[in-house]
């Protein structure tokens, strides 16, 4: 069982990581397809001890100035930034991984960094270790939960994204009535997306992810849960909403009727508009990838709804299987679009990459279960989450079940980091490394938002 205290990310990893084992170029290949320009790479993966610096170079990287989302442009090269070794790795140096950690060097690579690089000092500084990034404003992390603290997101970007997304949600797609305004503001989606995508080259890129996030939340609220949602008839509602993402190709007689249906309610209006903005910046492959992951999400919604209709409490293994589909996966899967580049379809489809993405989605979704635990207990009826299912199926007390769920989250996080580090070594394509880094940063930003959003979440009194 985890014990109360500082985040394990600041000390040695929990022993549970051991069972996942040890996993562990200069110029790069084309970083983009479809005519989209390469953009500067961002911060390194927050993996393991190497990600906890002991010198001032760990200061947050300033974001570039905003400019329109590039839709067309010259092809370019991208070179991988450092990749950190997995938390479960041993102290034995891995030469291949160390080469990636050093990042690009040599003539012509200086412009690939947001800020000028400085040569390492001749000797270690005498000053004490620099502490980890300042913790999130408000809230506290779950004791014993394995995570990586992140710097506070750029306040200027947070303010601008928050302003734009509210205008879109309220005025453009009429997703929220005035009486829900406080809940929309409390969602803090601007801070959420800026924390998850610190390498987004412009605010317009950030808005791609922000609209999709809000649209998914509107569907969840209105069809599934908080605002009139019900498991009864959910399949039909979700299928019709999905056609706003994956257009219907039918006869001329019925095409116009379908098109009008996309404006008939807030979820469909939100999906339709968010997807239109997304496809302007994404390649066809990226758009199809997202549609596929949204179909996964909707299938997970339906499984949970079926259990609710029959009052069935699943086995823990069944619940975890459902959560691999009803989870955050569509969010990190678009990290390359938001970053202004593309991970080609063949690289994205690799089984090893699919495992990394699945583990990232699973870990962050269990984190959501843990942070939203008290909120869901206060909602009407039985709301399934991992601690509730463990308590019911394994005969544990509420506290024991919650702490076991923390352990499961930590195991998933260590498995994710080990799989990502192994893939970075076995397939050191700069686009793969960059995408892995983006997914890892998204995982950390997602935790930051849950921890700091005291409007929505509070922790149980188990410590």
């Amino acid at each position: 069982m985890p014990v109360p205290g500082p985040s394990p990310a600041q000390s040695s990893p929990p022993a549970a990581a051991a069972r996942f084992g040890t996993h562990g170029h200069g110029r790069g290949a084309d970083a983009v397809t479809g005519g989209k320009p390469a953009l500067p790479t961002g911060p390194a993966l927050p993996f393991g001890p190497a990600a906890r610096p002991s010198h001032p170079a760990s200061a947050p990287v300033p974001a570039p100035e905003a400019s329109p989302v590039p839709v067309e442009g010259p092809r370019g090269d991208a070179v991988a930034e450092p990749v950190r070794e997995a938390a479960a790795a041993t102290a034995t140096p891995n030469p291949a991984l160390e080469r990636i950690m050093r990042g690009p060097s040599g003539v012509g690579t200086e412009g690939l960094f947001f800020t000028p690089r400085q040569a390492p000092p001749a000797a270690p500084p005498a000053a004490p270790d620099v502490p980890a990034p300042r913790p999130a404003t408000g809230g506290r992390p779950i004791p014993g939960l394995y995570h990586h603290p992140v710097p506070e997101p750029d306040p200027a970007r947070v303010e601008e994204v928050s302003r734009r997304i509210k205008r879109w949600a309220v005025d453009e797609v009429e997703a929220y009535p005035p009486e829900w305004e406080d809940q929309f503001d409390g969602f803090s989606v601007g801070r959420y997306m800026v924390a998850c995508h610190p390498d987004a080259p412009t605010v317009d890129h950030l808005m791609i992810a922000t609209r999709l996030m809000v649209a998914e939340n509107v569907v969840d609220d209105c069809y599934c849960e908080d605002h009139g949602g019900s498991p009864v008839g959910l399949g039909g509602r979700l299928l019709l909403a999905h056609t706003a993402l994956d257009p219907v190709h039918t006869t001329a007689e019925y095409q116009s009727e379908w098109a009008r249906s996309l404006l008939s309610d807030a979820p469909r209006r939100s999906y339709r508009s968010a997807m239109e903005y997304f496809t302007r910046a994404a390649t066809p492959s990226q758009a199809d990838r997202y549609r596929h992951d949204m179909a996964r999400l909707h299938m997970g919604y339906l499984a949970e709804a079926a259990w609710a209709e029959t009052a069935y409490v699943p086995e823990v293994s069944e619940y975890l299987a459902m959560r691999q589909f009803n989870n955050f996966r569509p969010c990190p899967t678009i990290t390359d679009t938001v970053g202004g580049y593309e991970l080609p379809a063949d690289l994205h489809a690799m089984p090893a990459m699919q495992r990394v993405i699945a583990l990232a989605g699973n870990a962050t979704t269990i984190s959501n279960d843990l942070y939203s635990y008290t909120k869901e207990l206060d909602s009407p009826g039985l709301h399934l989450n991992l601690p509730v299912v463990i308590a019911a199926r394994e005969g544990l007390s509420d506290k024991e079940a919650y702490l076991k769920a923390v352990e499961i989250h930590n195991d998933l996080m260590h498995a994710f980091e080990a799989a990502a580090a192994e893939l970075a070594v076995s397939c050191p394509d700069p686009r793969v490394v960059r995408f892995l880094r983006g997914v890892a940063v998204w995982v950390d930003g997602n935790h930051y938002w849950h921890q700091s959003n005291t409007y929505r979440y509070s922790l149980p009194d188990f410590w």
Side-chain angles (χ1 to χ4, degrees), residues 115-324:
T115 56
R117 291 176 295 168
Q118 298 179 350
D129 287 355
V130 173
R134 186 161 53 94
T137 300
R140 65 186 179 103
I142 294 169
L145 192 79
Y146 180 79
H147 71 281
H148 301 278
V150 301
E152 288 292 326
D154 179 355
R157 282 192 160 196
V158 170
E159 182 178 0
E160 178 62 12
V161 171
S162 299
R163 182 189 68 81
R164 291 195 197 184
I165 192 59
K166 190 168 184 179
R167 186 175 62 187
W168 175 81
V170 174
D171 299 333
E172 191 169 335
V173 298
E174 299 178 342
Y176 291 98
E179 57 268 27
W180 296 358
E181 183 175 2
D182 61 330
Q183 296 176 48
F184 183 84
D185 293 340
F187 190 62
S188 301
V189 68
R191 188 160 51 89
Y192 192 177
M193 293 296 97
V194 175
C196 286
H197 298 283
D199 67 334
T202 72
V203 170
D204 286 334
H205 285 83
L206 284 167
M207 287 301 300
I208 295 167
T210 310
R211 291 188 199 93
L212 291 172
M213 170 62 78
V214 170
E216 292 169 29
N217 198 61
V218 172
V219 170
D220 191 32
D221 280 350
C222 296
Y223 284 179
C224 304
E225 295 187 8
D226 296 343
H227 295 290
S230 167
V232 179
L234 179 60
R237 297 192 297 275
L238 281 179
L239 184 144
L240 293 175
H242 193 82
T243 68
L245 308 173
D246 198 350
V248 170
H249 302 276
T250 186
T251 64
E253 179 180 1
Y254 297 105
Q255 190 76 28
S256 60
E257 182 178 349
W258 164 73
R260 286 194 299 272
S261 75
L262 299 183
L263 303 176
S264 61
D265 63 9
R268 279 181 272 190
R269 289 194 300 272
S270 301
Y271 265 0
R272 172 183 172 273
S273 176
M275 193 66 181
E276 284 184 351
Y277 281 103
F278 176 62
T279 54
R280 291 177 197 173
T283 67
S285 175
Q286 288 172 319
D288 194 59
R289 176 207 306 171
Y290 180 75
R291 293 186 188 102
H292 186 74
D293 279 347
M294 288 301 292
R296 284 180 163 123
L297 175 68
H298 294 157
M299 184 165 63
Y301 284 174
L302 292 176
E304 189 172 21
W307 292 339
E309 283 195 275
T310 58
Y312 176 69
V313 177
E315 298 287 349
V316 176
S317 61
E318 293 173 327
Y319 179 83
L320 291 172
M322 181 273 292
R323 275 312 226 172
Q324 179 159 314

Side-chain angles (χ1 to χ4, degrees), residues 43-69:
L45 282 168
F47 286 172
R52 297 186 287 279
S54 59
H55 54 77
S58 61
V61 177
E65 294 181 0
S67 60
V69 178

